[in-house]
Amino acid sequence: MKKSKLLRIPSRGLVLISLVSLVLGFILAYSYSISSADKEQNTSNSVGFKEQEKYKKELIHQKERNKELTEEINAKQQDIRKYEKSFASSETSVEELVKEAEMLRLLIGDIPSQGKGISVSLQDGAYNPSQENPNDYIVHESHLFKVINELKISGAEAISINGQRLHTNSYIRCTGPVITVDGKTFPAPFTIEAVGDPTVLLASVNLGGGVVDQLTSDNIVVTVEEKGKITMPALRDDKN
């Protein structure tokens, strides 16, 4: 039986193969590291691109908003110039606006009122128990409203009932022989005072067929007087 001969590789061949394998492994490792780096770089570039797009859109939006605000400011400045020109060209207009503002403050009771005016006193009429309903001889809120509305129409700048100054949202309620004005109760007689031109106010309430005649026909005792000076505090002072 013949013995098989083993294939012997010269020692120089082993060294060469080892060297080739080492170089090949190094190349593969280097290629993998480069590939990984490229992937990371691509990922990083993708994230950076998205952020750049985001900031770009925000910048464009901000520029558009700044443009809108600039246009709005320019429009407001134009309006201000128009108002300034209108005021500069007419001092009378400014004075009229100041007077109107002053009148509005008086009407709402924001500032004190003092001046000439009139007073209108309303008192229950004499009642005959054997004849009619007693309610037909009592002062009701409807009677007060008639006087107050007439005074307002005639230009009264401030009105009070028994010293209680009225404002734009005042409420008046009748409860038997007394009335409640903005939560305060007053007994008869009820004195309504008004600051304004006495001549105009007197003429308006004493007009034929007007307020005084209507109240008298309702059995109410009416007394009208001209006042040389009436003083009414501001509502804020009155509440303190």
Side-chain angles (χ1 to χ4, degrees), residues 192-235:
I192 302 171
E193 290 186 324
V195 177
D197 187 338
T199 304
V200 176
L201 297 177
L202 286 171
S204 65
V205 297
N206 288 320
L207 187 67
V211 173
V212 173
D213 287 347
Q214 293 174 23
L215 295 177
T216 302
S217 66
D218 286 344
N219 304 310
I220 304 301
V221 179
V222 184
T223 305
V224 181
E225 294 182 64
E226 181 177 346
K227 295 286 187 178
K229 183 179 180 181
I230 299 175
T231 301
M232 297 185 194
L235 287 173

Side-chain angles (χ1 to χ4, degrees), residues 18-212:
S18 299
L19 183 59
V20 170
S21 298
L22 182 62
V23 172
L24 182 61
F26 176 78
I27 292 172
L28 290 174
Y30 182 72
S31 298
Y32 178 77
S33 64
I34 291 176
S35 176
S36 300
D38 289 341
K39 288 182 180 179
E40 291 179 358
Q41 182 66 31
N42 291 336
T43 302
S44 177
N45 290 339
S46 177
V47 173
F49 178 76
K50 290 181 180 179
E51 290 182 352
Q52 288 178 1
E53 285 296 313
K54 177 183 176 182
Y55 294 145
K56 184 178 180 181
K57 289 180 180 179
E58 291 180 354
L59 181 61
I60 293 173
H61 175 73
Q62 192 62 44
K63 287 182 177 179
E64 292 177 350
R65 181 56 180 158
N66 289 342
K67 182 180 178 182
E68 292 176 358
L69 292 174
T70 301
E71 292 176 352
E72 185 176 348
I73 290 172
N74 291 335
K76 295 295 184 185
Q77 289 177 342
Q78 292 294 332
D79 292 338
I80 292 173
R81 291 191 186 98
K82 290 179 182 178
Y83 291 133
E84 288 175 345
K85 288 180 180 179
S86 64
F87 290 148
S89 62
S90 178
E91 293 183 359
T92 304
S93 298
V94 177
E95 292 177 0
E96 290 176 354
L97 289 173
V98 171
K99 290 180 180 178
E100 184 177 351
E102 188 78 1
M103 178 58 69
L104 289 174
R105 292 190 182 97
L106 286 169
L107 292 176
I108 64 177
D110 197 38
I111 58 177
S113 177
Q114 179 175 301
K116 297 180 179 180
I118 68 170
S119 70
V120 182
S121 179
L122 308 182
Q123 193 166 2
D124 297 340
Y127 167 59
N128 186 346
S130 64
Q131 292 183 355
E132 302 182 34
N133 188 337
N135 286 326
D136 294 337
Y137 292 82
I138 294 177
V139 177
H140 297 286
E141 63 262 34
S142 59
H143 300 130
L144 297 169
F145 286 138
K146 285 183 179 180
V147 177
I148 293 169
N149 290 335
E150 186 64 32
L151 292 173
K152 286 183 177 180
I153 293 172
S154 302
E157 66 181 39
I159 301 173
S160 67
I161 300 178
N162 285 24
Q164 176 67 30
R165 186 173 178 180
L166 304 182
H167 56 83
T168 52
N169 296 321
S170 288
Y171 67 90
I172 302 171
R173 184 176 60 191
C174 176
T175 307
V178 299
I179 63 167
T180 301
V181 181
D182 295 334
K184 295 183 179 181
T185 302
F186 301 98
F190 308 113
T191 301
I192 302 171
E193 290 186 324
V195 177
D197 187 338
T199 304
V200 176
L201 297 177
L202 286 171
S204 65
V205 297
N206 288 320
L207 187 67
V211 173
V212 173

